[in-house]
Coordinates of all heavy atoms in Angstrom, one line a residue:
M393 N -15.9 -36.9 24.9 CA -14.9 -36.2 24.1 C -14.1 -37.2 23.3 O -13.8 -37.0 22.1 CB -14.0 -35.4 25.0 CG -13.1 -34.6 24.3 SD -13.9 -33.3 23.3 CE -12.7 -32.1 23.2
R394 N -13.7 -38.4 23.9 CA -12.9 -39.4 23.2 C -13.7 -39.9 22.0 O -13.2 -40.2 21.0 CB -12.6 -40.5 24.2 CG -11.5 -41.4 23.7 CD -11.1 -42.4 24.7 NE -12.0 -43.5 24.6 CZ -12.3 -44.3 25.5 NH1 -11.7 -44.3 26.7 NH2 -13.1 -45.3 25.3
A395 N -15.0 -40.2 22.2 CA -15.9 -40.7 21.1 C -16.0 -39.7 20.0 O -15.9 -40.1 18.8 CB -17.2 -41.1 21.6
Y396 N -16.1 -38.4 20.3 CA -16.1 -37.4 19.3 C -14.8 -37.4 18.5 O -14.9 -37.4 17.3 CB -16.4 -36.0 19.9 CG -16.3 -35.0 18.8 CD1 -17.4 -34.7 18.0 CD2 -15.1 -34.2 18.6 CE1 -17.3 -33.8 17.0 CE2 -15.0 -33.3 17.6 CZ -16.1 -33.1 16.8 OH -16.0 -32.1 15.8
Q397 N -13.7 -37.4 19.2 CA -12.4 -37.4 18.5 C -12.3 -38.6 17.6 O -11.8 -38.5 16.5 CB -11.3 -37.3 19.5 CG -11.2 -36.0 20.2 CD -10.3 -36.0 21.4 OE1 -10.0 -37.0 22.0 NE2 -9.8 -34.8 21.7
F398 N -12.7 -39.8 18.1 CA -12.6 -41.0 17.3 C -13.5 -40.9 16.0 O -13.0 -41.2 14.9 CB -13.2 -42.2 18.2 CG -13.1 -43.5 17.5 CD1 -12.0 -44.3 17.8 CD2 -14.1 -44.0 16.7 CE1 -11.9 -45.6 17.2 CE2 -14.0 -45.3 16.2 CZ -12.9 -46.1 16.4
A399 N -14.7 -40.4 16.2 CA -15.6 -40.2 15.0 C -15.1 -39.2 14.0 O -15.1 -39.4 12.8 CB -17.0 -39.9 15.5
E400 N -14.6 -38.0 14.6 CA -14.1 -37.0 13.7 C -12.9 -37.4 12.9 O -12.8 -37.2 11.7 CB -13.7 -35.8 14.6 CG -13.3 -34.6 13.7 CD -12.9 -33.4 14.6 OE1 -12.2 -33.5 15.6 OE2 -13.3 -32.3 14.2
Q401 N -12.0 -38.1 13.6 CA -10.8 -38.6 12.9 C -11.2 -39.6 11.8 O -10.7 -39.6 10.7 CB -9.9 -39.3 13.8 CG -8.6 -39.8 13.2 CD -7.6 -40.4 14.1 OE1 -8.0 -40.8 15.2 NE2 -6.4 -40.5 13.8
A402 N -12.2 -40.5 12.1 CA -12.6 -41.6 11.2 C -13.3 -40.9 9.9 O -13.1 -41.4 8.8 CB -13.5 -42.5 11.8
H403 N -14.0 -39.9 10.1 CA -14.8 -39.2 9.1 C -14.0 -38.1 8.4 O -14.6 -37.4 7.6 CB -16.1 -38.7 9.6 CG -17.1 -39.8 9.9 ND1 -17.7 -40.6 8.9 CD2 -17.5 -40.3 11.1 CE1 -18.5 -41.5 9.5 NE2 -18.4 -41.3 10.8
T404 N -12.7 -37.9 8.7 CA -11.9 -36.8 8.1 C -12.0 -36.8 6.6 O -11.9 -37.9 6.0 CB -10.5 -36.9 8.5 OG1 -10.4 -36.8 10.0 CG2 -9.6 -35.9 7.9
G405 N -12.4 -35.7 6.0 CA -12.4 -35.6 4.6 C -13.8 -35.9 4.0 O -14.1 -35.5 2.8
Q406 N -14.7 -36.5 4.8 CA -16.0 -36.8 4.3 C -16.9 -35.5 4.4 O -16.8 -34.8 5.5 CB -16.6 -37.9 5.0 CG -15.9 -39.2 4.7 CD -16.5 -40.4 5.5 OE1 -17.2 -40.2 6.5 NE2 -16.2 -41.6 5.0
R407 N -17.7 -35.3 3.5 CA -18.6 -34.1 3.5 C -20.1 -34.6 3.2 O -20.3 -35.5 2.4 CB -18.2 -33.1 2.4 CG -16.8 -32.6 2.7 CD -16.9 -31.1 2.9 NE -15.6 -30.6 3.3 CZ -15.5 -29.9 4.5 NH1 -16.5 -29.6 5.2 NH2 -14.3 -29.4 4.8
R408 N -21.0 -33.9 3.7 CA -22.4 -34.1 3.4 C -22.7 -33.4 2.1 O -21.9 -32.6 1.6 CB -23.3 -33.6 4.5 CG -23.0 -34.3 5.8 CD -23.9 -33.9 6.9 NE -25.4 -34.0 6.6 CZ -26.1 -35.1 6.6 NH1 -25.6 -36.2 6.9 NH2 -27.4 -35.0 6.4
A409 N -23.8 -33.7 1.5 CA -24.2 -33.1 0.2 C -24.3 -31.6 0.3 O -24.0 -30.9 -0.6 CB -25.6 -33.6 -0.3
S410 N -24.5 -31.1 1.5 CA -24.6 -29.6 1.8 C -23.2 -29.0 1.8 O -23.1 -27.8 1.8 CB -25.3 -29.4 3.1 OG -24.5 -29.9 4.2
G411 N -22.2 -29.8 1.9 CA -20.8 -29.3 2.0 C -20.3 -29.3 3.4 O -19.1 -29.1 3.6
E412 N -21.2 -29.5 4.4 CA -20.7 -29.5 5.8 C -19.9 -30.8 6.0 O -20.1 -31.8 5.4 CB -22.0 -29.6 6.7 CG -22.8 -28.4 6.7 CD -24.0 -28.6 7.6 OE1 -24.7 -29.6 7.5 OE2 -24.3 -27.7 8.4
P413 N -19.0 -30.7 7.0 CA -18.3 -31.9 7.4 C -19.3 -33.0 7.8 O -20.3 -32.7 8.5 CB -17.4 -31.5 8.5 CG -17.3 -30.0 8.4 CD -18.6 -29.6 7.8
Y414 N -19.0 -34.3 7.5 CA -19.9 -35.4 7.8 C -20.1 -35.5 9.3 O -21.2 -35.9 9.7 CB -19.4 -36.7 7.2 CG -20.5 -37.7 7.3 CD1 -21.5 -37.7 6.3 CD2 -20.6 -38.6 8.3 CE1 -22.5 -38.6 6.4 CE2 -21.6 -39.5 8.4 CZ -22.6 -39.5 7.4 OH -23.6 -40.4 7.5
I415 N -19.2 -35.1 10.1 CA -19.3 -35.3 11.5 C -20.5 -34.5 12.1 O -21.0 -34.9 13.1 CB -18.0 -34.9 12.2 CG1 -18.0 -35.3 13.7 CG2 -17.7 -33.4 12.1 CD1 -17.9 -36.8 14.0
T416 N -21.0 -33.5 11.4 CA -22.1 -32.8 11.9 C -23.4 -33.6 12.0 O -24.2 -33.5 12.9 CB -22.5 -31.5 11.0 OG1 -22.7 -32.0 9.7 CG2 -21.3 -30.5 11.0
H417 N -23.5 -34.6 11.1 CA -24.6 -35.6 11.2 C -24.5 -36.4 12.4 O -25.5 -36.6 13.2 CB -24.7 -36.4 9.9 CG -25.5 -37.6 10.1 ND1 -26.9 -37.6 10.1 CD2 -25.2 -39.0 10.2 CE1 -27.4 -38.8 10.3 NE2 -26.3 -39.7 10.3
C418 N -23.3 -36.9 12.7 CA -23.1 -37.8 13.8 C -23.4 -37.1 15.1 O -24.0 -37.6 16.1 CB -21.6 -38.3 13.8 SG -21.2 -39.2 12.3
V419 N -22.9 -35.8 15.2 CA -23.2 -35.0 16.4 C -24.7 -34.7 16.5 O -25.2 -34.8 17.7 CB -22.4 -33.7 16.3 CG1 -22.8 -32.7 17.4 CG2 -20.9 -33.9 16.4
A420 N -25.4 -34.5 15.4 CA -26.8 -34.3 15.5 C -27.5 -35.5 16.1 O -28.4 -35.4 16.9 CB -27.4 -33.9 14.1
V421 N -27.2 -36.7 15.6 CA -27.8 -37.9 16.1 C -27.5 -38.1 17.6 O -28.4 -38.4 18.4 CB -27.2 -39.1 15.3 CG1 -27.6 -40.5 16.0 CG2 -27.7 -39.1 13.9
A422 N -26.2 -37.9 18.0 CA -25.9 -38.0 19.4 C -26.7 -36.9 20.3 O -27.1 -37.2 21.4 CB -24.4 -37.8 19.6
S423 N -26.8 -35.8 19.7 CA -27.6 -34.7 20.5 C -29.0 -35.1 20.7 O -29.6 -34.9 21.8 CB -27.5 -33.4 19.7 OG -26.2 -32.9 19.7
I424 N -29.7 -35.7 19.7 CA -31.1 -36.1 19.8 C -31.1 -37.2 20.8 O -32.0 -37.2 21.7 CB -31.6 -36.6 18.4 CG1 -31.7 -35.5 17.5 CG2 -32.9 -37.4 18.6 CD1 -32.0 -35.9 16.0
L425 N -30.2 -38.1 20.8 CA -30.2 -39.2 21.8 C -30.0 -38.7 23.2 O -30.7 -39.1 24.2 CB -29.2 -40.3 21.5 CG -29.5 -41.1 20.2 CD1 -28.3 -41.9 19.8 CD2 -30.7 -41.9 20.4
A426 N -29.1 -37.7 23.4 CA -28.9 -37.1 24.7 C -30.1 -36.4 25.2 O -30.5 -36.5 26.4 CB -27.7 -36.1 24.6
E427 N -30.8 -35.7 24.3 CA -32.1 -35.0 24.7 C -33.1 -36.0 25.1 O -34.0 -35.7 25.9 CB -32.6 -34.2 23.5 CG -31.8 -32.9 23.2 CD -32.3 -32.2 22.0 OE1 -33.3 -32.5 21.4 OE2 -31.5 -31.3 21.6
M428 N -33.1 -37.2 24.6 CA -34.0 -38.3 25.0 C -33.6 -38.9 26.3 O -34.3 -39.8 26.8 CB -34.1 -39.4 23.9 CG -34.6 -38.9 22.6 SD -34.5 -40.0 21.2 CE -35.5 -41.4 21.8
R429 N -32.5 -38.5 26.8 CA -32.0 -39.0 28.1 C -31.8 -40.5 28.1 O -32.0 -41.2 29.1 CB -32.9 -38.6 29.3 CG -33.0 -37.1 29.4 CD -33.9 -36.7 30.5 NE -34.0 -35.2 30.4 CZ -34.0 -34.4 31.4 NH1 -33.8 -34.9 32.6 NH2 -34.1 -33.1 31.3
V430 N -31.2 -41.0 27.0 CA -30.8 -42.4 27.0 C -29.5 -42.6 27.7 O -28.8 -41.6 28.0 CB -30.7 -42.9 25.5 CG1 -32.1 -42.8 24.8 CG2 -29.7 -42.1 24.7
P431 N -29.1 -43.8 28.0 CA -27.8 -44.1 28.7 C -26.7 -43.5 27.8 O -26.7 -43.5 26.6 CB -27.8 -45.6 28.8 CG -29.2 -46.0 28.8 CD -29.9 -45.1 27.8
P432 N -25.6 -43.1 28.5 CA -24.4 -42.6 27.8 C -23.9 -43.5 26.7 O -23.4 -43.1 25.7 CB -23.4 -42.4 28.9 CG -24.2 -42.2 30.1 CD -25.4 -43.0 30.0
A433 N -23.9 -44.8 26.9 CA -23.4 -45.8 25.9 C -24.2 -45.7 24.6 O -23.7 -45.8 23.5 CB -23.5 -47.2 26.4
V434 N -25.5 -45.3 24.7 CA -26.3 -45.2 23.5 C -26.0 -43.9 22.8 O -25.9 -43.8 21.6 CB -27.8 -45.2 23.9 CG1 -28.7 -45.0 22.7 CG2 -28.2 -46.6 24.6
V435 N -25.7 -42.8 23.6 CA -25.3 -41.6 23.0 C -24.0 -41.8 22.2 O -23.8 -41.3 21.1 CB -25.2 -40.4 24.0 CG1 -24.6 -39.2 23.4 CG2 -26.5 -40.2 24.7
I436 N -23.1 -42.5 22.8 CA -21.8 -42.7 22.2 C -22.0 -43.6 20.9 O -21.4 -43.3 19.9 CB -20.8 -43.4 23.1 CG1 -20.4 -42.5 24.3 CG2 -19.6 -43.9 22.4 CD1 -19.7 -43.1 25.4
A437 N -22.8 -44.6 21.0 CA -23.1 -45.4 19.8 C -23.7 -44.6 18.7 O -23.4 -44.7 17.5 CB -24.0 -46.6 20.2
G438 N -24.6 -43.6 19.1 CA -25.2 -42.7 18.1 C -24.1 -41.9 17.4 O -24.2 -41.6 16.2
L439 N -23.2 -41.4 18.2 CA -22.1 -40.6 17.6 C -21.2 -41.4 16.7 O -20.8 -40.9 15.7 CB -21.2 -40.0 18.8 CG -20.1 -39.1 18.4 CD1 -20.6 -37.8 17.7 CD2 -19.3 -38.7 19.7
L440 N -21.1 -42.7 17.0 CA -20.2 -43.5 16.2 C -21.0 -44.3 15.1 O -20.4 -45.1 14.4 CB -19.5 -44.5 17.1 CG -18.6 -43.9 18.2 CD1 -18.0 -44.9 19.1 CD2 -17.5 -43.1 17.5
H441 N -22.3 -44.1 15.0 CA -23.1 -45.1 14.2 C -22.7 -45.2 12.8 O -22.9 -46.3 12.2 CB -24.6 -44.7 14.4 CG -25.1 -43.6 13.5 ND1 -24.9 -42.3 13.8 CD2 -25.7 -43.6 12.3 CE1 -25.4 -41.5 12.9 NE2 -25.9 -42.3 11.9
D442 N -22.2 -44.2 12.1 CA -21.8 -44.4 10.7 C -20.3 -44.7 10.6 O -19.9 -44.9 9.4 CB -22.1 -43.1 9.9 CG -23.6 -43.0 9.5 OD1 -24.2 -44.1 9.4 OD2 -24.1 -41.9 9.3
T443 N -19.6 -44.8 11.6 CA -18.2 -45.0 11.6 C -17.9 -46.4 11.0 O -17.0 -46.5 10.1 CB -17.6 -44.9 13.0 OG1 -17.9 -43.7 13.5 CG2 -16.1 -45.1 12.9
V444 N -18.6 -47.4 11.4 CA -18.4 -48.8 10.8 C -18.8 -48.8 9.4 O -18.2 -49.5 8.5 CB -19.1 -49.8 11.7 CG1 -19.0 -51.2 11.0 CG2 -18.5 -49.9 13.1
E445 N -19.9 -48.2 9.1 CA -20.5 -48.2 7.7 C -19.7 -47.4 6.7 O -19.5 -47.8 5.5 CB -21.9 -47.7 7.8 CG -22.7 -47.9 6.5 CD -24.1 -47.6 6.7 OE1 -24.7 -48.0 7.7 OE2 -24.7 -46.9 5.8
D446 N -19.2 -46.3 7.1 CA -18.7 -45.3 6.1 C -17.2 -45.0 6.2 O -16.7 -44.1 5.5 CB -19.4 -44.0 6.3 CG -20.9 -44.1 5.9 OD1 -21.2 -45.0 5.2 OD2 -21.7 -43.3 6.5
T447 N -16.5 -45.7 7.1 CA -15.0 -45.5 7.2 C -14.3 -46.9 7.3 O -15.0 -47.9 7.2 CB -14.7 -44.7 8.5 OG1 -14.8 -45.5 9.6 CG2 -15.6 -43.5 8.6
N448 N -13.0 -46.8 7.4 CA -12.3 -48.1 7.5 C -12.2 -48.6 9.0 O -11.6 -49.6 9.2 CB -10.9 -47.9 6.9 CG -10.1 -46.9 7.7 OD1 -10.5 -46.3 8.6 ND2 -8.8 -46.8 7.3
R449 N -12.9 -48.0 9.9 CA -13.0 -48.4 11.3 C -13.9 -49.6 11.3 O -14.9 -49.7 10.6 CB -13.5 -47.4 12.2 CG -12.6 -46.1 12.2 CD -11.2 -46.5 12.7 NE -10.3 -45.3 12.5 CZ -9.8 -44.7 13.6 NH1 -10.1 -45.0 14.8 NH2 -9.1 -43.6 13.4
T450 N -13.6 -50.5 12.2 CA -14.5 -51.8 12.4 C -15.2 -51.8 13.7 O -14.8 -51.0 14.7 CB -13.6 -53.0 12.3 OG1 -12.7 -53.0 13.4 CG2 -12.8 -53.0 11.0
L451 N -16.1 -52.7 13.9 CA -16.8 -52.8 15.2 C -15.8 -53.3 16.2 O -15.9 -52.9 17.4 CB -17.9 -53.8 15.0 CG -19.0 -53.8 16.1 CD1 -19.5 -52.4 16.4 CD2 -20.1 -54.8 15.7
A452 N -14.8 -54.1 15.8 CA -13.7 -54.5 16.7 C -12.9 -53.3 17.2 O -12.6 -53.2 18.4 CB -12.8 -55.5 16.1
D453 N -12.7 -52.3 16.4 CA -12.0 -51.0 16.8 C -12.9 -50.3 17.9 O -12.3 -49.8 18.9 CB -11.8 -50.1 15.6 CG -10.9 -50.6 14.6 OD1 -10.0 -51.4 14.9 OD2 -11.0 -50.2 13.4
I454 N -14.2 -50.3 17.6 CA -15.0 -49.6 18.6 C -15.1 -50.4 19.9 O -15.0 -49.8 21.0 CB -16.4 -49.4 18.0 CG1 -16.3 -48.3 16.8 CG2 -17.5 -49.0 19.0 CD1 -17.5 -48.2 16.0
R455 N -15.2 -51.7 19.8 CA -15.2 -52.5 21.0 C -13.9 -52.3 21.8 O -13.9 -52.1 23.0 CB -15.3 -54.0 20.7 CG -15.4 -54.9 21.9 CD -15.7 -56.3 21.6 NE -17.0 -56.4 21.0 CZ -17.3 -56.7 19.8 NH1 -16.4 -57.0 18.9 NH2 -18.6 -56.8 19.4
R456 N -12.8 -52.2 21.1 CA -11.5 -52.0 21.8 C -11.4 -50.7 22.5 O -10.9 -50.5 23.6 CB -10.3 -52.2 20.7 CG -9.0 -52.3 21.3 CD -7.9 -52.6 20.2 NE -8.1 -52.2 18.9 CZ -8.6 -53.0 17.9 NH1 -8.9 -54.3 18.2 NH2 -8.8 -52.6 16.7
E457 N -11.9 -49.7 21.8 CA -11.8 -48.3 22.4 C -12.9 -48.0 23.4 O -12.7 -47.2 24.3 CB -12.0 -47.3 21.2 CG -10.8 -47.2 20.3 CD -9.6 -46.6 20.9 OE1 -9.8 -45.6 21.7 OE2 -8.5 -47.0 20.6
F458 N -14.1 -48.6 23.2 CA -15.3 -48.1 24.1 C -16.0 -49.3 24.8 O -16.9 -49.0 25.6 CB -16.3 -47.4 23.2 CG -15.6 -46.2 22.5 CD1 -15.3 -46.2 21.2 CD2 -15.4 -45.0 23.2 CE1 -14.7 -45.1 20.6 CE2 -14.8 -43.9 22.6 CZ -14.4 -44.0 21.3
G459 N -15.5 -50.5 24.6 CA -16.1 -51.6 25.3 C -17.3 -52.2 24.7 O -17.9 -51.8 23.7
D460 N -17.7 -53.3 25.4 CA -18.9 -54.1 24.9 C -20.2 -53.4 24.9 O -21.1 -53.6 24.1 CB -19.0 -55.4 25.6 CG -17.9 -56.4 25.3 OD1 -17.3 -56.3 24.2 OD2 -17.6 -57.2 26.2
E461 N -20.4 -52.5 25.9 CA -21.6 -51.8 26.1 C -21.9 -50.9 24.9 O -23.1 -50.9 24.4 CB -21.6 -51.0 27.4 CG -23.0 -50.4 27.7 CD -23.0 -49.6 29.0 OE1 -22.0 -49.4 29.6 OE2 -24.1 -49.3 29.4
V462 N -20.9 -50.3 24.3 CA -21.1 -49.4 23.1 C -21.2 -50.3 21.9 O -21.9 -50.0 21.0 CB -20.0 -48.4 23.0 CG1 -20.1 -47.6 21.7 CG2 -20.1 -47.4 24.2
S463 N -20.4 -51.3 21.8 CA -20.3 -52.1 20.6 C -21.2 -53.3 20.5 O -21.1 -54.1 19.6 CB -18.8 -52.6 20.4 OG -18.5 -53.5 21.4
S464 N -22.1 -53.5 21.4 CA -23.0 -54.6 21.4 C -23.8 -54.7 20.1 O -24.2 -53.6 19.5 CB -24.0 -54.6 22.6 OG -24.9 -53.6 22.4
P465 N -24.0 -55.9 19.5 CA -24.6 -56.0 18.2 C -26.0 -55.3 18.1 O -26.3 -54.8 17.1 CB -24.8 -57.5 18.1 CG -23.7 -58.1 18.9 CD -23.6 -57.1 20.1
G466 N -26.8 -55.3 19.2 CA -28.1 -54.6 19.1 C -28.0 -53.1 18.8 O -28.9 -52.6 18.3
R467 N -26.9 -52.5 19.1 CA -26.7 -51.1 18.9 C -26.3 -50.8 17.4 O -26.3 -49.7 16.9 CB -25.7 -50.5 19.8 CG -26.0 -50.6 21.2 CD -25.4 -49.5 22.0 NE -25.4 -49.8 23.4 CZ -26.4 -49.8 24.3 NH1 -27.6 -49.6 23.8 NH2 -26.3 -50.1 25.5
W468 N -26.0 -51.9 16.7 CA -25.4 -51.7 15.3 C -26.2 -52.5 14.3 O -25.8 -52.9 13.3 CB -24.0 -52.2 15.3 CG -23.2 -51.4 16.3 CD1 -23.0 -51.6 17.6 CD2 -22.5 -50.1 15.9 NE1 -22.2 -50.6 18.1 CE2 -21.9 -49.7 17.1 CE3 -22.3 -49.4 14.8 CZ2 -21.2 -48.5 17.2 CZ3 -21.6 -48.3 14.8 CH2 -21.0 -47.8 16.0
R469 N -27.5 -52.8 14.6 CA -28.3 -53.6 13.7 C -28.4 -53.1 12.2 O -28.6 -53.8 11.3 CB -29.8 -53.7 14.2 CG -29.8 -54.8 15.2 CD -31.3 -55.1 15.6 NE -31.3 -55.5 17.0 CZ -32.1 -55.0 17.9 NH1 -33.1 -54.2 17.5 NH2 -32.0 -55.4 19.1
H470 N -28.4 -51.8 12.1 CA -28.5 -51.2 10.7 C -27.3 -51.5 9.9 O -27.3 -51.3 8.7 CB -28.9 -49.8 10.7 CG -27.7 -48.9 11.1 ND1 -27.2 -48.7 12.4 CD2 -26.9 -48.1 10.3 CE1 -26.2 -47.9 12.3 NE2 -26.0 -47.5 11.1
Q471 N -26.2 -51.9 10.5 CA -25.0 -52.1 9.7 C -25.1 -53.4 8.8 O -25.7 -54.3 9.2 CB -23.8 -52.3 10.6 CG -23.6 -51.1 11.6 CD -23.4 -49.8 10.9 OE1 -23.0 -49.7 9.8 NE2 -23.8 -48.7 11.6
T472 N -24.6 -53.4 7.7 CA -24.7 -54.5 6.8 C -23.4 -55.3 6.7 O -22.3 -54.8 7.1 CB -25.0 -54.0 5.3 OG1 -24.0 -53.2 4.9 CG2 -26.3 -53.3 5.3
D473 N -23.4 -56.5 6.2 CA -22.2 -57.3 6.0 C -21.3 -56.7 5.0 O -20.1 -56.8 5.1 CB -22.6 -58.7 5.5 CG -23.2 -59.5 6.6 OD1 -23.0 -59.2 7.8 OD2 -24.0 -60.4 6.3
Q474 N -21.8 -56.0 4.0 CA -21.0 -55.4 3.0 C -21.4 -53.9 2.9 O -22.2 -53.6 2.0 CB -21.1 -56.1 1.7 CG -20.5 -57.5 1.8 CD -20.4 -58.1 0.4 OE1 -20.7 -57.5 -0.6 NE2 -19.8 -59.3 0.4
P475 N -21.0 -53.1 3.8 CA -21.5 -51.7 3.8 C -21.0 -50.9 2.5 O -19.9 -51.2 2.0 CB -20.9 -51.1 5.0 CG -19.7 -51.9 5.3 CD -20.0 -53.3 4.8
C476 N -21.8 -50.0 2.1 CA -21.3 -49.1 1.1 C -20.6 -48.0 1.8 O -21.0 -47.5 2.8 CB -22.5 -48.6 0.2 SG -24.0 -48.3 0.9
R477 N -19.6 -47.5 1.2 CA -18.8 -46.4 1.8 C -19.2 -45.1 1.3 O -19.5 -44.9 0.2 CB -17.3 -46.6 1.5 CG -16.8 -48.0 1.8 CD -16.4 -48.0 3.3 NE -15.9 -49.3 3.7 CZ -15.9 -49.8 4.9 NH1 -16.5 -49.1 5.8 NH2 -15.4 -50.9 5.1
A478 N -19.2 -44.1 2.3 CA -19.5 -42.7 1.9 C -18.3 -42.2 1.1 O -17.2 -42.5 1.4 CB -19.7 -41.9 3.1
S479 N -18.6 -41.5 0.0 CA -17.5 -40.9 -0.7 C -17.1 -39.6 0.0 O -17.8 -39.1 0.8 CB -17.9 -40.6 -2.1 OG -18.8 -39.5 -2.2
N480 N -15.9 -39.2 -0.3 CA -15.4 -37.9 0.2 C -16.2 -36.8 -0.4 O -16.1 -35.7 0.0 CB -13.9 -37.8 0.1 CG -13.2 -38.7 1.0 OD1 -13.7 -39.2 2.0 ND2 -11.9 -38.9 0.7
A481 N -16.9 -37.1 -1.5 CA -17.6 -36.0 -2.2 C -19.0 -35.7 -1.6 O -19.6 -34.7 -1.9 CB -17.8 -36.4 -3.7
G482 N -19.6 -36.6 -0.8 CA -20.9 -36.3 -0.2 C -21.6 -37.5 0.4 O -21.0 -38.4 0.8
D483 N -22.9 -37.4 0.4 CA -23.7 -38.4 1.0 C -24.1 -39.5 0.0 O -25.3 -39.9 -0.1 CB -25.0 -37.8 1.5 CG -24.7 -36.9 2.7 OD1 -23.7 -37.0 3.3 OD2 -25.6 -36.0 3.0
Q484 N -23.2 -40.1 -0.7 CA -23.4 -41.1 -1.7 C -24.1 -42.3 -1.0 O -25.0 -42.9 -1.6 CB -22.1 -41.5 -2.3 CG -22.2 -42.7 -3.3 CD -20.9 -43.1 -3.8 OE1 -19.9 -42.4 -3.7 NE2 -20.8 -44.2 -4.5
H485 N -23.7 -42.7 0.1 CA -24.3 -43.9 0.8 C -25.8 -43.7 1.0 O -26.5 -44.6 0.9 CB -23.5 -44.2 2.0 CG -23.7 -43.3 3.1 ND1 -23.2 -42.0 3.2 CD2 -24.4 -43.4 4.3 CE1 -23.5 -41.4 4.3 NE2 -24.3 -42.2 5.0
L486 N -26.2 -42.5 1.3 CA -27.6 -42.3 1.5 C -28.4 -42.5 0.2 O -29.5 -43.0 0.2 CB -27.8 -40.9 2.1 CG -27.2 -40.6 3.4 CD1 -27.5 -39.1 3.8 CD2 -27.8 -41.5 4.5
E487 N -27.9 -42.0 -0.9 CA -28.5 -42.1 -2.1 C -28.6 -43.6 -2.6 O -29.6 -44.1 -3.1 CB -27.8 -41.3 -3.2 CG -27.8 -39.8 -3.0 CD -29.3 -39.3 -2.9 OE1 -30.1 -39.7 -3.7 OE2 -29.5 -38.4 -2.1
E488 N -27.5 -44.4 -2.3 CA -27.5 -45.8 -2.7 C -28.5 -46.6 -1.9 O -29.0 -47.6 -2.3 CB -26.1 -46.3 -2.5 CG -25.1 -45.8 -3.4 CD -23.7 -46.2 -3.1 OE1 -23.4 -46.9 -2.1 OE2 -22.8 -45.8 -3.9
K489 N -28.9 -46.2 -0.7 CA -29.8 -46.9 0.1 C -31.2 -46.6 -0.1 O -32.1 -47.3 0.4 CB -29.4 -46.7 1.6 CG -28.1 -47.3 2.0 CD -27.9 -47.2 3.5 CE -26.7 -47.9 3.8 NZ -26.5 -48.0 5.2
R490 N -31.5 -45.6 -0.9 CA -32.9 -45.2 -1.2 C -33.6 -46.1 -2.2 O -33.1 -46.8 -2.9 CB -33.0 -43.8 -1.6 CG -32.7 -42.8 -0.5 CD -32.8 -41.4 -1.0 NE -32.4 -40.6 0.2 CZ -32.2 -39.3 0.1 NH1 -32.5 -38.7 -1.0 NH2 -31.8 -38.6 1.1

């Protein structure tokens, strides 16, 4: 619940191209991971996976809130040194990465 609240707050105002709140994508990723029966830290990392890339939250924020197990570098390999930010208008970051 705490990880959901963290992600929801971080993604406030962001929307997918469909118009849905961006958090729906994060929840979908976490749900898939939970169905795969991965460890809880991996499910939490899935829920938070776009937080570092698309919001002003940092990996240090995640480490402070959820510990090293969730914030370990191996769980965040897709993150870039200079991430592109999602716009509040939609999935801009997805288009820029194609």
Side-chain angles (χ1 to χ4, degrees):
M393 186 66 153
R394 195 176 85 202
Y396 174 82
Q397 291 170 337
F398 184 94
E400 183 179 45
Q401 181 181 20
H403 289 288
T404 297
Q406 293 178 341
R407 298 239 172 238
R408 298 186 51 82
S410 65
E412 294 176 311
Y414 193 80
I415 191 68
T416 60
H417 164 70
C418 304
V419 170
V421 169
S423 295
I424 290 167
L425 292 169
E427 288 174 10
M428 294 171 65
R429 298 178 187 225
V430 298
V434 176
V435 176
I436 292 169
L439 185 60
L440 301 174
H441 80 279
D442 278 335
T443 305
V444 172
E445 188 173 315
D446 295 335
T447 75
N448 63 357
R449 300 300 175 109
T450 66
L451 198 50
D453 294 332
I454 290 172
R455 182 173 294 113
R456 191 170 30 260
E457 290 288 325
F458 302 101
D460 290 335
E461 189 175 7
V462 171
S463 66
S464 69
R467 300 207 198 287
W468 299 88
R469 277 191 213 135
H470 76 283
Q471 306 302 335
T472 61
D473 290 335
Q474 296 192 357
C476 38
R477 304 279 183 204
S479 73
N480 288 343
D483 291 341
Q484 175 182 348
H485 69 288
L486 296 177
E487 295 301 319
E488 291 173 356
K489 290 185 174 188
R490 289 184 185 171

